[in-house]
DNA sequence: CGACCAGGAAACGGC
DNA sequence: TTCCTGGTCG
């Protein structure tokens, strides 16, 4: 009896025992991939006599990593607390956290999520007087993210910039990077790029990790980007004991920088042993037939054909209605009928776009069906949570401009955009932190007397909290913070959702407590960084609730399975999405997305579509999805077809035969560009002077600052001191912040 | 100068 | 339907 090798099929076992050298596991949907990875991990430990920490196993989601750890612990009977089973991001964070000085960062740097990054870009664009009605922050940020995914530096981007928008993006990119460094912040891409830099610049560190991680495994390899490929290359360069697991048919994150080519490139570069896993343990043969027909149209894919021992199977139910509301209603009715035999938790409804969820949600409510929406707004993306996190960030790093801009007028302190910009200019010219600038608001012209008092109070509070950072527990710290700025009153009165928002803040405090107890968030910085990387934080608390139907986007459904699946909105313009229409690559990705949706179903699949959809309040006629044509009509069950042409009488017998679907001129939404005008914004430029006298320290002294590191005193005056920091250049500092300077 | 309101644009997917 | 921007009032 061997728990590691028994019960695997031949191919799975082959993948598990192929220990040395390069291996590519082509894991079809539902082929027992997770089992292969975890068993392989356990096998390596046993057969190669390795310790947990000798294998680096990276995935894309915390959920997947958690699942793997749990199964590995069960298989090996060992604790996984020292394992390197992590997401790419968490792995990168760990490397940076251990060596922040190699990139000139203090130990308590912070992580910015995509939203924060977008705020930075917006603020940068304002500084550069870029008209944001012409050049939207979103697309600019998107380009910057893609550039970073592909390891294109601002300089390279600038060189290649041919169009006006690219030139503008190049300037924003350059400034964006600078701003992140000034804020001691890292964006998600940096969590990969910085370790690569660290490894390249510090060969001994790289060697250390190469020795430590003697084997590497990467899950969902089709979702990796160029930076991640580089990271892999560096880490495994010596022994090339690398096993990648992926499925090019499930590559659906191209828009996020994933490079489907990586999987083909790996095959060329590493000449791996290729192990295809084609036996599916999830779905009926009928569902697989439908899936295969959808995906086998894609040229250049790695040929594989899923099969299962579960021959036959229920046909696909097809729901066609005239209106979106009817579509949702029929779905709800069908679910209610099903619920006599199948638990609600066995049923999932998928949609392409989040905006489709509303109508579905209403139908569920009306039909009294318990449901739960996965994804949607994440816990840490909520305003109230971001506010508190921004406060914490500003306390940790009083130079964090993004955090400052966010909270300086929350709660209202009579400072608007103009006052904000003035304070920022003032701080910059005086070379002081934003927190210190608060205490000097009186010296900034045009700020109301009442505001000056409030800002000064805030500055004092933030300074004191900064001082107590190391002295009190994270939980108490956050409690005191919330209390000191009167956040409870502010958020309670925010609007009618105030009470709920306050509950979220309380929930935040609870999670600080939890992380504190578990040791994961032993410092406040650990805590906020961990929250930023943990998108699924709100999933945790609702786990053991009653049985509910699961509603989610198809992207969210990847990696999951349900006995009964509804794919809603199988319409042209939704899937494939209208934005993908003009790009063959994107159309292929849409096709794969549809494939992913189909392959989530174990026993029964439904597809639904509507003859019209409401877009911005207008009823727009829509055609069925072209993908429906690729599924043989005999796989559909005509009995369950609700005619879109007659909602009263059953259309039994018509089925797909009547399907008239011409994938030509469908044009659900207008695509014209609006006419734009350019308006530059006028910025204020004021001069600041910084001279005075200072007691203990004199020019030439070496000092250390908790955030800025070591530096040399350049000039000393009454209230200000100019210090040339080794990593951060010349800064003028004054007042309270000098007390955190240490002579060295 | 900031708060508030009205009108216009707007939403693909997310670690 | 919501979200953001620009204009006006206090």
């Amino acid at each position: 009896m061997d728990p590691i090798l028994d019960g695997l099929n031949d191919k799975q076992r082959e993948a598990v025992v192929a220990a040395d050298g390069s291996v590519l596991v082509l894991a079809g949907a539902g082929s027992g991939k997770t089992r292969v990875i975890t068993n392989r991990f356990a096998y390596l430990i046993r057969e190669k006599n390795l310790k947990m920490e000798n294998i680096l196993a990276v995935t894309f989601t915390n959920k997947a990593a958690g699942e793997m750890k749990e199964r590995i612990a069960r298989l090996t009977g060992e604790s996984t607390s020292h394992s390197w089973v992590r997401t790419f991001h968490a792995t990168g964070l760990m490397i940076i956290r251990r060596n922040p000085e190699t990139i000139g960062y203090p130990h308590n740097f912070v992580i910015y999520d995509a939203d924060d990054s977008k705020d930075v870009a917006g603020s940068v664009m304002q500084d550069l007087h870029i008209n944001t009605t012409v050049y939207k922050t979103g697309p600019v940020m998107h380009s910057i993210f893609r550039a970073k995914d592909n390891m294109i530096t601002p300089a390279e981007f600038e060189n290649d910039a041919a169009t006006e928008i690219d030139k503008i993006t190049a300037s924003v990119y350059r400034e964006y990077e600078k701003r992140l460094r000034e804020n001691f912040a890292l964006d998600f891409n940096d969590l990969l790029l910085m370790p690569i830099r660290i490894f390249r610049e510090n060969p001994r560190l790289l060697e250390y990790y190469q020795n430590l991680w003697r084997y590497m495994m990467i899950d969902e390899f089709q979702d990796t980007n160029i930076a991640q490929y580089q990271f892999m290359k560096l880490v495994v360069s010596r022994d090339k004991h690398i096993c990648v697991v992926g499925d090019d048919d499930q590559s659906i994150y191209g828009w996020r920088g994933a490079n489907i080519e990586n999987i083909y490139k790996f095959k060329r570069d590493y000449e791996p042993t290729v192990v295809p896993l084609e036996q599916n343990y999830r779905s009926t043969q009928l569902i697989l037939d439908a899936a295969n027909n959808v995906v086998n149209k894609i040229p250049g894919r790695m040929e594989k054909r899923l099969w299962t021992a579960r021959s036959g199977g229920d046909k696909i139910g097809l729901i066609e209605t005239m209106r979106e509301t009817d579509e949702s209603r029929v779905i709800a009715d069908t679910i209610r009928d099903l619920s006599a035999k199948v638990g609600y938790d066995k049923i999932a409804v998928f949609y392409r776009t989040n905006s489709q969820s509303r109508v579905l949600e209403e139908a569920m409510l009306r039909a009294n069906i318990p449901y739960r929406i996965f994804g949607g707004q994440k816990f840490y993306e909520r305003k109230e949570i971001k506010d508190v996190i921004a406060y914490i960030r500003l306390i940790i790093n009083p130079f964090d401009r993004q955090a400052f801009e966010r909270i300086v007028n929350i709660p209202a302190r009579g400072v608007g955009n103009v006052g904000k910009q003035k304070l920022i200019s003032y701080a910059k010219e005086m070379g002081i932190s934003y927190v210190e600038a608060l205490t000097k608001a009186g010296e900034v012209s045009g700020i109301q007397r009442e505001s000056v008092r409030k800002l000064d109070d805030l500055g004092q509070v933030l300074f004191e909290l900064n001082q107590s950072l190391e002295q009190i527990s994270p939980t108490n710290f956050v409690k005191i913070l919330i209390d000191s700025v009167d956040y409870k009153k502010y958020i309670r009165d925010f609007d009618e959702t105030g009470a709920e928002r306050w509950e979220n803040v309380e929930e935040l405090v609870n999670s600080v407590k939890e992380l504190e107890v578990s040791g994961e968030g032993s410092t406040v910085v650990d805590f906020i960084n961990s929250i930023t990387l943990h998108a699924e934080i709100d999933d945790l608390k609702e786990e053991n609730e009653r049985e509910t139907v699961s509603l989610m986007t198809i992207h969210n459904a990847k990696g999951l399975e349900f006995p009964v699946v509804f794919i809603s909105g199988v319409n042209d313009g939704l899937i494939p999405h209208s934005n993908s229409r003009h790009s063959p690559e994107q159309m292929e990705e849409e096709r794969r997305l549809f494939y992913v949706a189909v392959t989530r179903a174990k026993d029964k699949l439904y597809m639904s579509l509507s003859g019209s959809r409401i877009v911005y309040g207008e009823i727009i006629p829509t055609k069925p999805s072209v993908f429906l044509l690729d599924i043989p009509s005999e796989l559909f069950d005509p009995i369950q077809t609700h005619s879109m042409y007659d909602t009263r009488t059953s259309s039994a017998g018509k089925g797909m035969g009547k399907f008239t679907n011409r994938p030509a001129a469908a044009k659900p939404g207008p695509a014209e560009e609006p006419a734009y005008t350019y308006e530059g914004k006028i910025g204020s430029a004021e001069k600041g002077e910084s001279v005075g006298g200072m007691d203990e320290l004199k020019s030439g002294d070496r000092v250390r600052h908790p955030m800025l590191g070591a530096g040399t005193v350049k000039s000393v005056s009454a209230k200000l001191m100019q210090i040339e920091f080794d990593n951060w250049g010349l800064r003028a500092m004054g007042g309270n912040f000098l007390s955190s300077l240490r002579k060295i």
Side-chain angles (χ1 to χ4, degrees), chain A residues 501-539:
Chain A
R501 289 178 187 275
W502 172 246
E503 279 175 26
N504 289 330
V505 175
E506 286 185 315
E507 188 60 38
L508 180 79
V509 176
N510 290 341
S511 53
V512 186
K513 186 82 195 171
E514 273 169 38
L515 288 182
E516 194 182 312
V517 171
S518 76
E520 242 185 286
S522 49
T523 70
V524 183
V525 185
D526 288 346
F527 166 71
I528 60 167
N529 284 343
S530 133
I531 248 195
T532 310
L533 287 188
H534 255 92
E536 304 107 28
I537 192 160
D538 59 345
D539 291 355

Side-chain angles (χ1 to χ4, degrees), chain A residues 11-303:
Chain A
K11 286 291 168 190
Q12 288 174 330
R13 191 174 302 117
E14 193 184 328
V16 167
V17 301
D20 293 339
S22 314
V23 183
L24 166 59
V25 180
L26 281 180
S31 61
K33 181 190 71 170
T34 310
R35 192 160 176 218
V36 166
I37 297 175
T38 51
N39 288 36
R40 189 174 187 277
F41 193 109
Y43 182 83
L44 287 177
I45 298 237
R46 190 177 73 183
E47 300 297 319
K48 297 284 162 183
N49 220 346
L50 300 177
K51 297 207 176 85
M52 279 286 164
E53 59 263 38
N54 295 133
I55 307 170
L56 174 62
V58 286
T59 62
F60 274 86
T61 66
N62 292 296
K63 198 175 165 198
E67 221 173 277
M68 271 177 67
K69 272 199 209 171
E70 201 178 294
R71 291 168 77 154
I72 288 169
R74 222 180 313 139
L75 269 179
T76 61
E78 289 176 41
S79 158
T80 53
S81 59
H82 286 91
S83 75
W84 285 87
V85 180
R86 288 163 198 273
T87 62
F88 264 110
H89 295 106
T91 306
L93 172 62
M94 194 56 118
I95 296 165
I96 302 166
R97 194 190 272 157
R98 289 177 171 191
N99 313 278
E101 72 289 345
T102 56
I103 54 164
Y105 264 42
H107 69 279
N108 46 355
F109 57 87
V110 293
I111 299 167
Y112 279 6
D113 66 44
D115 259 16
D116 302 320
S117 296
K118 206 179 153 203
D119 286 349
V120 175
S123 163
V124 164
M125 286 168 82
Q126 200 183 341
D127 279 10
L128 296 176
H129 311 310
I130 294 163
N131 183 343
T132 48
T133 18
V134 183
Y135 303 105
K136 297 263 163 54
T137 319
V140 169
M141 198 60 241
H142 189 258
S143 301
I144 295 174
F145 278 153
R146 288 302 76 76
K148 295 186 82 167
D149 286 331
N150 295 323
M151 301 187 73
I152 296 166
T153 63
E156 288 163 349
F157 196 101
E158 198 166 9
N159 273 334
D160 297 345
T163 60
E164 190 61 21
I165 176 75
D166 278 355
K167 285 175 188 162
I168 284 167
T169 305
S171 65
V172 178
Y173 182 14
R174 181 177 293 278
E175 200 54 34
Y176 166 85
E177 289 288 299
K178 201 174 142 213
R179 188 74 68 83
L180 286 191
R181 307 303 156 242
E182 283 170 6
N183 290 355
F184 300 122
L186 299 173
D187 68 13
F188 277 178
N189 280 304
D190 289 332
L191 294 180
L192 247 297
L193 294 175
M194 289 304 185
I196 291 171
R197 194 180 123 190
I198 292 173
F199 284 160
R200 282 182 178 165
E201 293 173 1
N202 304 273
R204 285 181 50 214
L205 261 177
L206 174 59
E207 207 188 316
Y208 167 82
Y209 283 103
Q210 284 173 339
N211 283 329
L212 180 69
W213 299 325
R214 297 181 40 208
Y215 289 79
M216 182 177 187
M217 284 195 252
I218 304 177
D219 190 15
E220 306 280 13
F221 197 72
Q222 76 284 349
D223 291 338
T224 54
N225 63 25
I226 286 181
Q228 284 151 346
Y229 197 93
Q230 277 306 313
F231 180 84
M232 168 193 80
K233 232 171 137 177
L234 281 165
V235 166
V236 304
S237 65
R238 213 185 44 193
D239 299 332
K240 295 204 168 63
H241 291 323
I242 169 75
C243 171
V244 310
V245 182
D247 178 6
D248 54 338
D249 288 338
Q250 294 186 69
S251 164
I252 57 172
Y253 285 106
W255 53 273
R256 210 173 65 190
N259 185 16
I260 190 172
E261 281 299 315
N262 277 358
I263 201 164
Y264 308 130
K265 189 169 152 55
F266 182 82
K267 205 176 160 191
R268 291 195 302 269
D269 293 355
Y270 288 79
E271 297 175 349
T273 309
V274 180
V275 186
L277 304 178
E278 292 171 302
Q279 182 173 3
N280 173 292
Y281 294 94
R282 179 185 294 155
S283 312
T284 65
Q285 186 61 48
L286 186 133
I287 289 168
L288 293 185
D289 286 347
N292 281 328
N293 275 292
V294 168
V295 87
N296 65 18
K297 303 276 187 303
I298 298 176
R301 66 183 273 269
M302 290 182 177
E303 199 61 46

Side-chain angles (χ1 to χ4, degrees), chain A residues 490-506:
Chain A
Y490 163 77
I491 203 66
R492 276 256 201 81
D493 301 342
F494 186 72
D495 61 11
E496 62 286 352
T497 64
E500 193 189 326
R501 289 178 187 275
W502 172 246
E503 279 175 26
N504 289 330
V505 175
E506 286 185 315

